[in-house]
Amino acid sequence: MRKHGATTMTKHSADMINPDLLDEFDESTLGLYLDDDAPAAFALGRVRNLAPGEALDDPNPFALHVVLDGRLAGPRNWYGPGNHFTGGEQGLQAVDLSARVWTLDMGGGTWSAAANRPVRRAMTHALIAADAAEAAATPPVVLPDVETLCDIDHPEIRRNAVRLRRTTEAGTAEAILKFIQPMPYRFGTWQERASDTLARGTGMCTTKANLQVALMRAVGLEAGFVEIPMPISRLGMLMPKAWLSMMRPTVKHYFAAVKLGGRWHAADASYDDEAFGVYLKVAPELSYMIPAYLGEGRPYSPAMESQGMDMFGIEVQPHLHEEMGKRSRFLPRHFEALNTRLDRVRGTHRHWAKVALEQAAREGTEVRA
């Protein structure tokens, strides 16, 4: 045995650390909530490489697993990069691609060593925080009818629409865009009403566009939806890199449009400044698009601009019933793992870390850790 800081490690665990593996662990859901304690926790586990079709085959009920890259699937569940699960789940194997899985024996002597109490406490808090964040992101079991999603008559939609009305149509459209755009962009389910997105205060391109269109229609503006292709090389900047190999080369991007002066204008409020800032690291020439703007003759869509598209040359749809009616193959845990890079940039994970501390104090897990 040898010491590494305040953490007791085996020679095997110390030698297997490399920056790439640690980076993937750091971008996992648990890595996000472990924060500065992630390296110490990572050092106490081991990494297995699974070939396509190879089973995880770990009967240890005290094991904690984190998928670093690839995908594991079984009879009931599947886990993608950054997802974690505990021992006892049988039949999981690497599918499509090879997979690397980090495993911690939480029943072993190394983990139970007195010197590792701080990292055990950190892990307890991280698990609680991850569960709380996932629960908050979980949609209701019964999803709303797609025809009710753009609920312009909801009292909160009406109230905010009145508040955002300006003396001109262009001024009103810009006020609404500037109200929606700062809402944090997060990957998640798109089957929610505009009023639900308003209450949540976050959304992805589809749900933010739905809220924006609802507000514009509530004040009498002619508004609709636009669909354009987006290379995953662009959108992928917002997600942990381990997810990229599992994505299609091109995805659909949706945003709002408004008619001003008899002409349709792109009015894309999808990306808040923090999310857009991630793009600017590789495309600094788009920095002039922050802060967001919109006016007659001044359409706004960073996604179109980055691809050299004409922001007036858009095909506007009256609704997104078909798209928003589809069930995602992703579950809340997958979306939470997709969001770790954005959550870290914004620091929003600290809210759930605080929730975990409060819950641990109530339940006495500080003592048991």
Side-chain angles (χ1 to χ4, degrees), residues 46-60 63-69 71-74 79 83-95 99-104:
R46 62 188 178 91
V47 175
R48 285 188 58 186
N49 294 280
L50 302 178
E54 184 178 353
L56 180 61
D57 194 24
D58 187 345
N60 182 0
L64 173 65
H65 306 286
V66 175
V67 180
L68 300 179
D69 52 38
R71 185 165 72 99
L72 299 186
Y79 300 92
N83 288 150
H84 61 274
F85 56 96
T86 53
E89 186 157 353
Q90 301 300 311
L92 292 172
Q93 63 181 34
V95 292
R100 291 189 290 191
V101 182
W102 175 86
T103 299
L104 173 67

Side-chain angles (χ1 to χ4, degrees), residues 123-353:
M123 181 64 78
T124 298
H125 294 164
L127 288 165
I128 294 172
D131 284 349
E134 183 178 323
T138 300
V141 176
V142 179
L143 297 173
D145 187 291
V146 292
E147 295 190 4
T148 69
L149 297 183
C150 196
D151 53 346
I152 66 173
D153 291 322
H154 189 279
E156 285 302 305
I157 296 293
R158 288 291 185 185
R159 185 180 69 81
N160 279 276
V162 169
R163 184 175 63 84
L164 293 165
R165 188 189 294 275
R166 300 294 185 265
T167 56
T168 66
E169 289 189 341
T172 300
E174 184 176 51
I176 292 172
L177 179 137
K178 289 186 173 182
F179 174 70
I180 301 295
Q181 187 264 344
M183 291 183 177
Y185 177 94
R186 293 190 90 241
F187 299 105
T189 181
W190 48 82
Q191 295 156 315
E192 65 180 23
R193 298 183 182 93
S195 56
D196 297 328
T197 304
L198 179 63
R200 186 186 297 277
T202 65
M204 59 187 302
C205 63
T206 315
T207 54
K208 291 182 73 173
N210 185 50
L211 173 57
Q212 187 180 357
V213 168
L215 288 168
M216 289 193 289
R217 288 176 176 172
V219 294
L221 294 175
E222 189 173 354
F225 301 89
V226 179
E227 173 193 313
I228 64 168
M230 176 179 280
I232 194 61
S233 59
R234 294 275 183 183
L235 186 64
M237 297 176 196
L238 303 181
M239 63 183 67
K241 63 182 180 180
W243 279 96
L244 297 183
S245 62
M246 300 174 57
M247 300 293 177
R248 301 181 182 92
T250 303
V251 296
K252 296 176 181 178
H253 175 56
Y254 296 94
F255 57 88
V258 60
K259 186 172 280 189
L260 300 173
R263 192 179 191 186
W264 283 109
H265 289 57
D268 189 349
S270 300
Y271 304 113
D272 58 289
D273 288 356
E274 286 80 5
F276 196 19
V278 176
Y279 286 124
L280 292 181
K281 292 178 181 178
V282 295
E285 67 275 9
L286 296 177
S287 60
Y288 73 92
M289 302 196 81
I290 293 180
Y293 57 83
L294 180 63
E296 188 171 338
R298 299 179 70 226
Y300 183 79
S301 175
M304 295 190 76
E305 183 73 358
S306 67
Q307 299 182 70
M309 296 179 173
D310 178 6
M311 286 185 277
F312 289 113
I314 53 178
E315 182 177 338
V316 181
Q317 307 173 34
H319 57 74
L320 294 178
H321 292 171
E322 181 178 355
E323 184 63 28
M324 296 185 77
K326 295 177 182 176
R327 277 194 174 272
S328 174
R329 63 191 176 101
F330 288 172
L331 296 174
R333 64 168 173 265
H334 305 127
F335 287 125
E336 288 303 292
L338 277 166
N339 282 315
T340 58
R341 182 171 290 185
L342 288 171
D343 287 346
R344 192 184 299 277
V345 166
R346 299 189 187 101
T348 50
H349 60 296
R350 296 191 182 97
H351 165 74
W352 299 111

Side-chain angles (χ1 to χ4, degrees), residues 8-21:
T8 300
M9 305 193 307
T10 64
K11 183 177 186 300
H12 170 75
S13 64
D15 288 346
M16 66 87 180
I17 295 176
N18 71 58
D20 290 338
L21 291 174

Side-chain angles (χ1 to χ4, degrees), residues 14-30:
D15 288 346
M16 66 87 180
I17 295 176
N18 71 58
D20 290 338
L21 291 174
L22 181 55
D23 283 349
E24 290 187 341
F25 182 80
D26 201 45
E27 288 203 308
S28 70
T29 305
L30 278 185

